[in-house]
Amino acid sequence: MDKHDDPQEQAPAPPRRVLVTGASGYVGSRLIPRLLDRGYDVIAAVRSPNKLEALEWGARVTAVPMDAADPEQVETAVQGVDAAYYLLHSMDGSGFAEQDVALAQDFGRACAQAGVQRLVYLGGLVPRGDRLSPHLASRLEVEETLRDSGVPVVVALRAGILIGGGSTSFELIRRLVERMPLIPLPGFMRASIQPVAITDALNALVAALEAPLPTTSIDVVGPDVMSYRELVRTYADVAGIKRRFVNMVRVPYLLVSVPATWITGLPGPTVRALVPSLGEDLRGRAGKTQRQLLPSIHDEPLHVTEAYRASLLPEGSGEQALSPADPEWAGGDIVLKRGRRVRTGSGWWTRLLGTHHSISAQRAPIAPPANHATKA
């Protein structure tokens, strides 16, 4: 067995000074409060540090400006840190894969030269077979690039589709169901997937920092295996939205991407990059999931229906729900308040023409049920 794949090999004690790249992003903005609550000294790397001022935890971190394409800023950001999270992804333009690899090379090299002891990278599940979508192939290339960087320990977390208010995958489903009374489900959406709640992904990210692991890859998945078609239907059921679904046989990816971009209002390059991955089997490898390799995780992972319900709670109701750090276009027409479905006041037609979740500021935060509470 390759030493990189032996999870029992002992590694140094957990670090205390941690750099989080993409600190204002979907995952980074939820991960940082966890690290702060555990006593870590967090260095938050963002292009514009003033973005963090409005966040509840902004004053508790050391903010550093870091554009991943600026080698000098990268070298400055990694100085004096014990470990770093690499949470950067690009899906803009035809050359995003090459750009991702180049940025990962520069970051890994800077970390190795600065004496960083551990890198934790959040990528995506690797489908079975040799054919990968450009989106997932790029994630794997970045993982391999970081593994070869010279940093002593690199832990790559390969996550399934992330379920949570504000995540691109979740918002894509939310928008399609809310805005389309008749929803076509292409044949490629029969692929088998294993989605994971963002709160469970955060559990894995923290454990990957602290566990005595060597360089390895770990699949981060939820307990449910289903098709993407079932994932969409389940959202409609949980949200209480009656829709008609039409199973279709052969539909080109491009024919799905173009109308999906217009209907959802999500960034075009992002949708075009994601759609081909919907046709790939994305399940965890036997014996290589977070439940088996990260024994410090004691919480049972959320089922899809549980994750959906927690994701539909009002903004500020926990890690699964929308956060003030999420993009303004995130959010939908349905929230769950005390178990009841409530309209946000912006119907599907308004959102079809131009979405903005600023009304969420008017929502009184409601504590989620005990089993959906934020975990530290």
Side-chain angles (χ1 to χ4, degrees), residues 44 183 249 330:
I183 302 176
V249 184

Side-chain angles (χ1 to χ4, degrees), residues 238 309 313-314 335-342 366-367 369:
V238 173
R309 290 191 190 103
L313 291 171
V335 295
L336 298 182
K337 290 186 176 182
R338 298 181 177 88
R340 298 181 59 188
R341 297 176 181 87
V342 178
I366 297 176

Side-chain angles (χ1 to χ4, degrees), residues 143-361:
E143 175 186 319
E144 294 169 345
T145 299
L146 294 174
R147 283 171 67 113
D148 295 336
S149 65
V151 174
V153 177
V154 178
V155 181
L157 300 180
R158 300 175 177 179
I161 293 173
L162 289 178
I163 296 181
S167 83
T168 304
S169 298
F170 174 81
E171 294 299 335
L172 180 63
I173 295 172
R174 189 205 311 248
R175 298 291 184 83
L176 289 174
V177 173
E178 286 192 356
R179 299 180 178 188
M180 297 182 67
L182 180 66
I183 302 176
L185 300 174
F188 62 77
M189 292 173 68
R190 290 175 296 187
S192 182
I193 59 176
Q194 200 166 357
V196 62
I198 180 59
T199 189
D200 293 316
L202 294 172
N203 285 341
L205 282 162
V206 173
L209 178 70
E210 300 176 342
L213 292 170
T215 291
T216 190
S217 63
I218 299 172
D219 293 347
V220 181
V221 294
D224 301 320
V225 177
M226 58 178 59
S227 70
Y228 201 87
R229 283 177 171 178
E230 292 174 301
L231 190 64
V232 174
R233 291 175 182 269
T234 301
Y235 176 81
D237 289 341
V238 173
I241 302 174
K242 294 183 179 180
R243 290 290 182 261
R244 289 185 176 272
F245 298 92
V246 179
N247 292 333
M248 305 181 70
V249 184
R250 294 183 178 180
V251 181
Y253 291 132
L254 185 61
L255 196 58
V256 175
S257 301
V258 173
T261 298
W262 181 76
I263 292 168
T264 64
L266 270 64
T270 300
V271 175
R272 288 192 294 273
L274 284 177
V275 167
S277 66
L278 304 184
E280 295 176 300
D281 287 325
L282 299 175
R283 290 170 291 165
R285 296 166 290 172
K288 291 285 288 182
T289 70
Q290 81 273 22
R291 296 290 293 169
Q292 291 138 342
L293 300 184
L294 297 172
S296 64
I297 298 178
H298 302 297
D299 298 331
E300 290 294 327
L302 295 180
H303 288 277
V304 166
T305 52
E306 295 175 301
Y308 273 154
R309 290 191 190 103
S311 302
L312 287 172
L313 291 171
E315 183 176 310
S317 298
E319 294 167 337
Q320 286 291 137
L322 278 173
S323 158
D326 294 331
E328 289 187 346
W329 50 256
D333 190 34
I334 300 290
V335 295
L336 298 182
K337 290 186 176 182
R338 298 181 177 88
R340 298 181 59 188
R341 297 176 181 87
V342 178
R343 297 278 179 179
T344 63
S346 55
W348 69 271
W349 179 246
T350 300
R351 289 188 171 276
L352 186 60
L353 295 178
T355 303
H356 192 292
H357 81 272
S358 59
I359 59 165
S360 62

